[in-house]
């Protein structure tokens, strides 16, 4: 397969990099321990409590009693998921285009579809051969031999003795042999349309199989794109969880220092422990989400699920023309803030270009030709034949014999067999027509659902980004109140958890935009199990407290919904701003750096 050209409609993937609302460690939080920096953790490599700065409350600068203190629990890291991420760090970057190309080349599903096309073309050739000249050559040889036997006799003497005599020989005597060579040629002259319609039915079935193969490749390409985007989404959620863990660990350290100094109650330390435990659990779940999504991507690429893989951040999602995404341009226009086309207009585009609908129409054509072929059995069939015979020895009519003939066959009585075959073919035709109607309805529903999903995802993205700004301000106010003695640590923890929640919503909202764009671009008519690729839908329902699942060839990939962010990096530029910036479809201000998409 030649590499496809990534020139089809580009789907704008708004800010598919590190979180643009990257949260810095609140300055007021460290006032209890001046000069103590927050821990900045690389992706997938968050240090455990044994290497962090958290204490059990007795190492504060003010000293203090250890009576009644609860040591910081030893919270484990994600373990195997973190090992997988470290193994991927040294791997070459897998681009989105390479991932789609590898899936189309190596995944067994499209390969099986292509083999089905070859089989269908072979059946079309078989059907066409029935109306062509047939020439057969045959030969035979025979030998005849005579068997000659002797005579024997016996005589009794009455004295108990017997006298026997024999004469002649037993064996082969004489014989003859004959050889014959025959050349026969037959040519169908008239079949009532049976051969012609059978050939056309087989050709239509082959065209349908080819379109179904293209549909399979399109579905696999869409699944691969979604799996790739899911890896990016889970990695960003892991950054949120890493930052939240760092913040919780620092809060626990400050609580221990305050308790040692006699400036806080033991309850403050216990609350900080509980918050740190929750942050550790979120981080484990997020790291596992990254590993699961990479395993799903590897399965689509026909690789072992544990194969290390490193993806690159993408700004613009370009769909390959080879995969034939009918609505790519329309999805791009909507993502760029253009007017949303009407559903009938989008259905017209899909109706003309969606491979699955074209395959259903070819199945109808094949069924119609099959009906005509069955009807043709009631008509006579005429054929001509010519036979040449070469014999040795020479017969009474000579050594060489040439005969020609014309045959006519007409079914007179068949017990209604042909009528039953015609009825069966008509029923199959009706099934094919109803299947097309059902697919058209499913396609219309997929288009309308994708339009609604894309529109709502864009609205949720704007709302989530606004919520992040509000949550960051609320956290800052809670920290100021706590420092001034007008608030409690519980207020700060609640504000931090609220920020984590809205940051997670914002991450998921931005990737839901991308997922909706892919859905609309593909506009597949597959709505349940049973497709050639095992795809059970191209949707995703990531959100706060929910799990986004994409089923790909039997593999599940889960997008976590937990975390909080501190600092991040986008395309090599450090993003430490405390605001999202002005986000629009086309350009986003990330940490004070303008990025064009």
């Amino acid at each position: 397969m030649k590499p496809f050209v990534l020139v089809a409609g580009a789907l704008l993937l708004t800010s598919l990099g590190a979180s643009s609302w990257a949260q810095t460690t609140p300055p007021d939080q460290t006032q209890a321990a001046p000069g103590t920096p927050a821990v900045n953790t690389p992706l997938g490599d968050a240090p455990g409590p044994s290497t962090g700065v958290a204490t059990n409350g007795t190492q504060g600068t003010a000293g203090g009693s250890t009576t009644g203190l609860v040591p910081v629990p030893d919270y484990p890291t994600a373990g195997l998921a973190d090992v997988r991420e470290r193994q991927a760090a040294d791997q070459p970057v897998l681009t989105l285009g390479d991932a789609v190309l590898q899936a189309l080349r190596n995944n067994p599903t499209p390969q099986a579809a292509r083999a089905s096309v070859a089989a269908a073309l072979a059946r079309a050739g078989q059907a066409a051969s029935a109306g062509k000249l047939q020439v057969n050559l045959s030969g035979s040889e025979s030998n005849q031999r005579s068997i000659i036997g002797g005579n024997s006799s016996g005589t009794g003497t009455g004295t108990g003795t017997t006298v026997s005599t024999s004469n002649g020989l037993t064996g082969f005597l004489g014989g003859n042999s004959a050889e014959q060579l025959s050349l026969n040629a037959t040519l169908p002259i008239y079949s009532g349309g049976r051969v012609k319609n059978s050939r056309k039915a087989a050709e239509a079935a082959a065209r349908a199989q080819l379109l179904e193969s293209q549909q399979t490749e399109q579905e696999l390409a869409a699944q691969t794109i979604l799996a790739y985007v899911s890896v990016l989404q889970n990695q960003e959620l892991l950054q949120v969880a890493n930052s939240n863990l760092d913040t919780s660990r620092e809060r626990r350290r400050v609580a221990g220092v305050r308790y040692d100094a006699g400036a806080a109650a033991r309850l403050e330390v216990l609350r900080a422990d509980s918050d740190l435990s929750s942050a550790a659990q979120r981080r484990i779940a997020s790291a596992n989400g990254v590993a699961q999504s990479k395993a799903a991507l590897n399965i689509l690429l026909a690789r072992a699920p544990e194969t290390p893989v490193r993806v690159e951040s993408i700004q613009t999602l370009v769909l390959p023309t080879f995969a034939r995404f009918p609505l790519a341009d329309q999805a791009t226009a909507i993502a760029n803030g253009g007017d949303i086309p009407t559903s009938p207009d989008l259905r017209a585009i899909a109706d003309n270009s969606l491979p699955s609908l074209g395959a259903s129409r070819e199945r109808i054509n094949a069924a119609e030709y099959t009906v005509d072929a069955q009807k043709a059995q009631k008509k006579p069939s005429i054929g001509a034949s010519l036979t040449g015979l070469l014999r040795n020895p020479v017969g009474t009519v000579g050594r060489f014999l040439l005969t020609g003939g014309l045959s006519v066959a007409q079914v007179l009585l068949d017990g209604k067999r042909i009528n039953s075959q015609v009825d069966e073919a008509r029923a199959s035709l009706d099934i094919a027509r109803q299947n097309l109607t059902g697919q058209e309805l499913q396609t219309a529903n997929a288009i309308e659902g994708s339009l609604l999903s894309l529109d709502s995802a864009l609205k949720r993205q704007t709302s989530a980004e606004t919520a992040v700004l509000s949550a960051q301000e609320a956290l800052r106010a809670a920290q100021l109140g706590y420092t001034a003695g007008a608030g409690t640590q519980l207020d700060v923890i609640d504000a931090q958890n609220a920020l984590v929640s809205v940051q997670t919503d914002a991450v998921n909202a931005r990737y839901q935009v991308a997922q909706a764009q892919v859905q609309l671009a593909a506009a597949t008519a597959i709505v349940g199990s049973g497709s050639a690729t095992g795809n059970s839908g191209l949707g995703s329902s990531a959100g706060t407290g929910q799990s986004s699942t994409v089923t790909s060839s039997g593999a599940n990939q889960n997008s976590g919904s937990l975390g909080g962010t501190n600092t991040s990096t986008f395309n090599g530029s450090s993003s430490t701003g405390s605001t999202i910036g002005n986000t629009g479809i086309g350009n986003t201000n990330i940490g004070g750096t303008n990025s064009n998409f």
Side-chain angles (χ1 to χ4, degrees):
M1 180 189 302
K2 296 182 179 179
F4 51 77
V5 181
L6 300 177
V7 295
L11 292 185
L12 185 62
L13 195 57
T14 308
S15 304
L16 283 193
S19 300
S20 59
W21 45 83
Q23 169 202 342
T24 57
T25 303
D28 299 274
Q29 186 177 355
T30 61
Q31 290 182 2
T36 303
V39 179
N40 235 349
T41 308
L43 176 62
D45 195 24
S50 60
T51 60
V53 296
T55 73
N56 63 7
T58 63
Q59 287 82 6
T61 56
S65 172
T66 62
T67 305
L69 285 182
V70 179
V72 178
D74 184 16
Y75 300 117
T77 60
L80 184 59
D82 285 337
V83 172
R84 295 278 189 265
E85 193 66 21
R86 286 193 292 269
Q87 290 174 343
D90 297 330
Q91 298 298 313
V93 173
L94 177 68
T95 65
L96 177 61
D98 289 341
V100 174
L101 185 58
Q102 287 185 29
L104 293 175
R105 283 179 172 174
N106 302 328
N107 191 287
T109 301
Q111 294 186 29
R114 293 170 201 136
S116 297
V117 173
L121 291 174
R123 288 191 292 270
Q126 295 172 21
S129 66
K132 298 179 180 179
L133 177 66
Q134 307 289 325
V135 180
N136 298 302
L137 178 66
S138 62
S140 64
E141 180 182 3
S142 62
N143 291 285
Q144 296 179 348
R145 294 289 185 271
S146 299
I147 301 177
I148 301 175
N151 298 323
S152 63
S153 62
T155 304
T157 61
T159 61
T161 64
T162 301
V163 178
S164 298
T165 63
S166 63
N167 57 51
L169 299 173
T170 301
F172 295 97
L173 181 65
N176 57 71
S177 63
E179 296 87 20
Q180 180 175 293
L181 184 65
S182 175
L183 182 67
N184 177 261
T186 60
L187 178 66
I189 297 176
Y190 177 75
S191 63
R194 183 173 63 252
V195 174
K196 180 184 70 175
N197 287 297
S198 295
R199 173 180 57 81
K200 289 184 176 180
E203 291 173 350
R207 290 192 297 270
Q209 190 64 54
L210 177 61
L211 289 169
E212 289 173 357
S213 176
Q214 293 175 353
Q215 180 70 33
T216 298
E217 291 176 342
Q218 176 182 303
E219 292 177 22
L220 178 61
Q223 292 176 58
T224 304
I225 294 170
L226 288 172
Y228 194 97
V229 170
S230 179
V231 173
L232 294 174
Q233 180 180 9
N234 279 284
Q235 285 181 340
E236 196 163 322
L237 290 171
L238 179 57
Q239 291 178 1
V240 173
N242 280 336
S243 180
N244 183 52
L245 180 61
D246 293 340
T247 302
S248 299
R249 183 179 290 119
E250 175 65 11
R251 182 177 294 114
R252 173 58 178 84
R253 188 195 68 80
V254 172
V257 171
R258 287 171 51 83
Y259 182 78
D260 281 353
R266 181 170 178 267
L267 180 60
E268 182 173 321
V269 176
L270 296 177
R271 284 174 175 171
D273 281 340
S274 177
D275 183 58
L276 179 58
S277 174
S278 298
Q281 294 300 317
R282 292 187 181 108
R283 198 265 169 196
I284 292 173
S286 298
N288 183 67
V290 173
Q292 292 282 3
S293 59
K294 287 187 175 183
L297 178 60
N298 279 323
I299 291 298
L300 291 173
L301 303 183
R303 306 193 302 192
E306 71 276 9
T307 303
V309 58
R310 183 162 66 100
V311 300
E312 70 170 356
S313 297
I314 57 177
Q315 298 180 13
T316 302
L317 186 62
V318 180
L319 299 178
T321 55
F322 181 83
R324 295 190 62 189
F325 291 102
L327 303 179
D329 294 337
Q330 289 70 27
T332 302
I334 297 173
N336 284 326
D339 295 334
I340 298 179
T342 63
S343 291
D345 291 340
L346 296 181
R347 287 199 298 270
I349 296 173
D351 188 67
N352 292 327
S353 56
L354 196 62
S356 60
L357 295 180
S360 295
R361 295 189 182 93
E362 290 295 345
R363 294 294 182 191
I364 291 176
N365 293 335
E368 290 175 340
Y369 288 130
T370 301
V371 172
D372 294 337
Q374 298 296 351
K375 290 180 178 179
Q377 294 185 82
K378 296 181 179 181
K379 299 179 181 180
S381 60
I382 302 175
S385 64
L386 182 66
T387 302
L389 184 64
L390 181 63
R391 296 182 297 184
N392 183 38
V394 178
T396 57
V397 294
R399 182 182 298 275
F400 181 74
L401 179 65
L402 180 66
T403 61
L406 186 68
S407 62
V408 179
Q410 173 65 58
V411 176
L412 300 178
L413 184 65
D414 66 347
K416 296 185 177 181
R417 176 182 58 84
I418 296 178
N419 289 338
S420 297
Q421 291 175 338
V422 172
D423 291 341
E424 180 185 6
R426 286 173 174 168
S428 298
L429 174 59
D430 186 60
I431 292 173
R433 287 171 174 168
Q434 296 302 324
N435 285 340
L436 174 60
T437 301
Q439 276 194 312
E440 289 173 341
L441 292 174
Q442 292 173 356
T443 300
N445 181 61
I447 292 174
E448 180 66 13
S450 298
L451 277 176
L452 294 173
S453 297
L454 181 54
D455 181 65
S456 62
L458 290 170
K459 301 300 187 295
R460 288 196 304 272
Q461 180 183 10
T462 302
S463 175
E465 290 167 348
T466 303
V468 169
L469 293 175
S470 299
Q472 287 175 337
E473 183 62 24
L475 177 59
R476 190 182 71 86
Q479 290 170 335
L480 290 175
Y482 175 66
T483 303
T488 65
Q489 186 195 42
L490 183 59
D491 296 332
V492 177
I493 292 176
D494 289 342
Q496 173 67 22
N497 290 336
L499 178 59
V500 168
S501 178
V502 296
Q503 286 174 331
T504 301
D505 288 346
V507 171
N508 290 328
R510 290 188 295 112
Y511 282 93
Q512 284 172 349
V513 171
Q515 292 161 354
Q517 289 175 27
V518 178
Q519 286 179 294
L520 181 57
T524 60
I526 303 300
V527 295
S529 60
S531 72
T533 56
N535 182 28
S536 62
L538 298 177
S540 174
S541 58
T544 303
Q546 297 182 359
S547 178
S548 169
T549 302
V550 177
T551 302
S552 308
S553 299
N556 291 330
Q557 54 191 39
N558 298 317
S559 299
S561 58
L562 303 169
T565 189
N566 187 13
T567 57
S568 58
T569 301
F570 182 77
N571 285 348
S573 300
S574 178
S575 174
T576 56
S578 60
T579 63
I580 304 174
N582 181 25
T583 301
I585 306 302
N587 68 79
T588 303
N589 190 302
I590 304 177
T593 301
N594 187 60
S595 300
N596 293 320
F597 298 89

